Amino acid sequence: MEFKDTIFNRRSNRFLSDEKINDESIDYILQIAKRAPVALGRYSDINLLVIEGETLRRLQKKFVELNKIDNTFGSGLLIVVLHKGMKEDLRNQDAGIIGSYICLGASDLGLGSVYLHSLVGMMNDDKYISQELLHIEKPYEVMCAVTVGKIKDNKVRNVTHDFEVIKFD
């Protein structure tokens, strides 16, 4: 797919299959994510968790227990951005750009994805999730996650991507 097509066709798709994403596709998405620019070039402050299979099923079950819904939309892959150090606003900016790159990499492969910030509190605060299931070591914290899956249905909202642009000379 051409870059312009990837950008113009990118949409959050919540109709995802739990079918396994092949390793080549995961590697491609991670290579895209690793090219995101981060504050002060502090790549050593960032880890990406790749969660699939039984661990993802247990996590999805816990999300339903805590939140009454599966925020991963039944997908087959969840990529979590962990960050340590620096001010929270810089960590959030880093996570946002990395998450965006993950979504674009998935879209380029024809996969659906959703950027998730709603899971951050649950993943950081619930001891079962953070310590027992994912073994997240302090000082790392979950900053965002992206759910990725094969598209079951293409019923995405037709959102107009338009907002006012104010120019100055």
Side-chain angles (χ1 to χ4, degrees):
M1 192 179 305
E2 287 195 37
F3 180 70
K4 181 178 86 170
D5 296 330
T6 298
I7 295 292
F8 288 176
N9 292 317
R10 161 79 185 106
R11 297 286 185 278
S12 291
N13 190 317
R14 291 166 175 80
F15 302 98
L16 303 174
S17 163
D18 64 355
E19 191 176 336
K20 179 172 175 26
I21 305 298
N22 67 52
D23 290 339
E24 294 80 22
S25 294
I26 294 172
D27 289 343
Y28 177 77
I29 292 167
L30 294 174
Q31 288 305 313
I32 299 288
K34 288 179 181 180
R35 282 164 176 73
V38 301
L40 306 172
R42 307 254 323 243
Y43 293 94
S44 61
D45 285 354
I46 300 163
N47 284 339
L48 300 177
L49 295 182
V50 177
I51 306 167
E52 55 187 340
E54 183 56 33
T55 302
L56 181 57
R57 299 297 157 248
R58 290 171 53 200
L59 187 58
Q60 289 165 330
K61 182 178 176 184
K62 186 65 174 180
F63 289 151
V64 170
E65 178 185 310
L66 292 172
N67 204 33
K68 308 296 184 243
I69 62 168
D70 171 16
N71 298 84
T72 72
F73 307 101
S75 74
L77 175 65
L78 185 69
I79 301 174
V80 177
V81 178
L82 301 178
H83 206 307
K84 68 176 182 177
M86 296 197 303
K87 294 183 193 175
E88 187 173 356
D89 62 332
L90 292 177
R91 293 190 318 241
N92 282 328
Q93 289 175 43
D94 289 350
I97 193 74
I98 293 167
S100 294
Y101 273 49
I102 292 168
C103 289
L104 289 170
S107 185
D108 195 44
L109 295 172
L111 298 169
S113 65
V114 180
Y115 180 95
L116 302 168
H117 188 266
S118 59
L119 302 179
V120 171
M122 282 186 284
M123 294 180 84
N124 282 327
D125 297 340
D126 187 275
K127 300 278 189 238
Y128 170 76
I129 293 172
S130 62
Q131 294 174 4
E132 292 179 41
L133 192 58
L134 302 180
H135 308 285
I136 298 171
E137 306 252 344
K138 293 291 182 193
Y140 284 99
E141 291 182 47
V142 173
M143 299 307 297
C144 76
V146 177
T147 190
V148 178
K150 294 186 179 178
I151 297 171
K152 283 195 312 191
D153 194 323
N154 223 359
K155 293 189 293 191
V156 296
R157 290 182 295 153
N158 190 7
V159 177
T160 302
H161 291 224
D162 198 13
F163 42 83
E164 184 177 0
V165 176
I166 302 168
K167 290 180 147 184
F168 294 92
D169 275 334

